């Protein structure tokens, strides 16, 4: 925990709660497990403002000892989502920290902690991109046979954050194309990254029938959607050919088998 002027900021508690939820515990149960007095905890919610600079917000975080790298993650979250919980603690602590942000004219809300505050939220929440874990990746991508464009990412990766808005647009463009658009957080699903040989982020692959095709083109919605549609047509044609060839081969084997049987009968 970080102390500043007698204030105690509960970033560690917030991390423990989020980690418990990722591991599959119910959010309220995880919260109670982390702190028996959770009902007395409050949160500070920062709201995005066009008139406040990132440097001003970072300056406030620096006053109570939060490193810039950690603070920037919270700044990005506020900017991307419009508002975000940044501090958890007793009411007196949250009011004092809220006042520090209000000094730079930032809109702040201090309220009681809610179970949803500790829930794990995907970068793609609210979009048409489906976030897959290890189990759903195997069932929906590797075994289902549905053509799928997959982005493998890490939440700390700056290039991944830059790609998120474009990737959301890809899902909209491919909405009625028959191509599923998904994303895998490799920090939470490391076995998937190993299985597919993912070594850098973001990595984008087109998946069909358990086979992967790497994408290495421009990271724009138009280029990605075009790639996915082209691969879907190509893989669909291959599958049609394989089925047709398999049918011809089966028919030929029956004919040849019948000829042999006739010859044996005649002899």
């Amino acid at each position: 925990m970080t102390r500043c002027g007698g204030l105690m900021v509960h970033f560690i508690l917030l991390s423990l709660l989020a980690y418990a939820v990722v591991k599959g515990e119910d959010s309220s149960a995880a919260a109670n497990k982390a702190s028996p007095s959770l009902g007395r905890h409050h949160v500070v919610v920062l709201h995005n403002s066009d008139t406040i600079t990132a440097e001003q917000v970072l300056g406030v975080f620096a006053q109570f000892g939060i490193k810039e790298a950690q603070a920037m993650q919270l700044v990005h979250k506020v900017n991307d989502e419009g508002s975000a919980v940044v501090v958890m603690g007793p009411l007196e602590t949250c009011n004092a920290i809220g006042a520090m942000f209000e000094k730079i004219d930032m809109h702040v809300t201090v309220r009681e902690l809610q179970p949803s505050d500790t829930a794990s939220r995907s970068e793609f929440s609210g979009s048409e991109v489906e976030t897959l874990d290890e189990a759903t990746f195997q069932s929906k991508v590797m075994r289902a046979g549905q053509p799928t464009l997959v982005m493998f990412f890490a939440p700390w990766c700056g290039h991944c954050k830059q790609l998120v808005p474009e990737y959301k647009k890809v899902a909209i463009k491919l909405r009625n194309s028959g191509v599923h658009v998904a994303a895998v957080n490799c920090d939470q699903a490391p076995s998937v990254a190993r299985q597919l040989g993912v070594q850098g982020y973001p990595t984008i692959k087109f998946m069909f029938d358990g086979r992967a095709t790497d994408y290495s083109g421009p990271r724009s919605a138009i280029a990605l959607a075009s790639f996915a549609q082209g691969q879907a047509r190509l893989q669909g044609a291959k599958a049609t050919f394989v089925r047709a060839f398999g049918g011809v081969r089966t028919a030929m084997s029956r004919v040849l088998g019948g000829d042999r049987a006739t010859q044996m009968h005649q002899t």
Side-chain angles (χ1 to χ4, degrees):
M1 294 183 182
T2 306
R3 292 178 182 271
C4 179
L7 299 180
M8 188 172 291
V9 185
H10 290 234
F11 282 99
I12 293 179
L13 176 59
L14 183 60
S15 299
L16 288 173
L17 294 173
Y19 179 78
V21 173
V22 168
K23 288 298 184 182
E25 296 184 27
D26 176 73
S27 57
S28 58
N32 291 330
K33 187 175 184 179
S35 173
S37 58
L38 183 63
R40 295 194 295 273
H41 280 287
H42 287 66
V43 295
V44 176
V45 181
L46 294 187
H47 303 276
N48 196 17
S49 171
D50 294 333
T51 61
I52 309 299
T53 66
E55 288 73 19
Q56 289 176 288
V57 179
L58 292 173
V60 176
F61 279 119
Q63 291 180 48
F64 46 92
I66 303 303
K67 295 181 180 179
E68 183 174 337
Q70 183 182 13
M72 274 305 299
Q73 294 182 19
L74 298 172
V75 171
H76 283 306
K77 189 175 180 65
V78 173
N79 185 61
D80 294 342
E81 300 181 10
S83 63
V85 172
V86 297
V87 175
M88 178 192 303
L91 177 60
E92 182 181 356
T93 300
C94 290
N95 281 335
I97 293 176
M100 295 168 70
F101 284 104
E102 287 175 341
K103 286 182 179 180
I104 63 171
D105 295 327
M106 194 160 195
H107 179 41
V108 176
T109 300
V110 176
R111 58 168 173 75
E112 288 189 356
L113 174 67
Q114 300 172 359
S116 60
D117 295 327
T118 63
S120 176
R121 183 174 174 82
S122 165
E123 287 78 356
F124 298 100
S125 295
S127 75
E128 297 188 38
V129 178
E130 182 178 8
T131 302
L132 304 176
D133 57 21
E134 293 175 345
T136 52
F137 178 81
Q138 299 301 329
S139 62
K140 293 189 174 184
V141 177
M142 298 303 289
R143 293 193 293 268
Q146 179 180 10
T148 307
L149 187 69
V150 186
M151 172 180 168
F152 301 89
F153 72 98
W156 44 262
C157 166
H159 292 297
C160 299
K161 291 180 182 294
Q162 293 175 5
L163 181 56
V164 166
E166 285 297 301
Y167 199 67
K168 289 178 179 178
K169 294 177 185 176
V170 175
I172 295 173
K173 288 180 176 295
L174 297 178
R175 181 184 293 157
N176 299 315
S177 68
V179 178
H180 184 211
V181 180
V184 175
N185 180 342
C186 294
D187 275 4
Q188 297 178 7
S191 67
V192 173
R194 289 193 298 270
Q195 180 183 7
L196 274 297
V198 175
Q199 298 183 358
Y201 305 114
T203 290
I204 299 173
K205 295 176 182 284
F206 180 87
M207 306 290 303
F208 183 70
D209 278 348
R211 296 186 299 273
T213 303
D214 290 328
Y215 176 75
S216 58
R219 294 174 181 173
S220 68
I222 293 175
L224 284 162
S226 177
F227 165 75
Q229 290 172 320
Q231 285 295 315
R233 287 192 295 267
L234 176 62
Q235 299 300 333
K238 285 182 178 179
T240 300
F241 174 78
V242 169
R243 286 194 296 269
F245 182 74
V248 170
R249 188 166 54 183
T250 300
M252 287 295 294
S253 64
R254 288 174 179 168
V255 170
L256 293 174
D259 288 344
R260 283 195 297 268
T262 302
Q263 291 173 2
M264 290 177 64
H265 179 73
Q266 289 175 345
T267 58

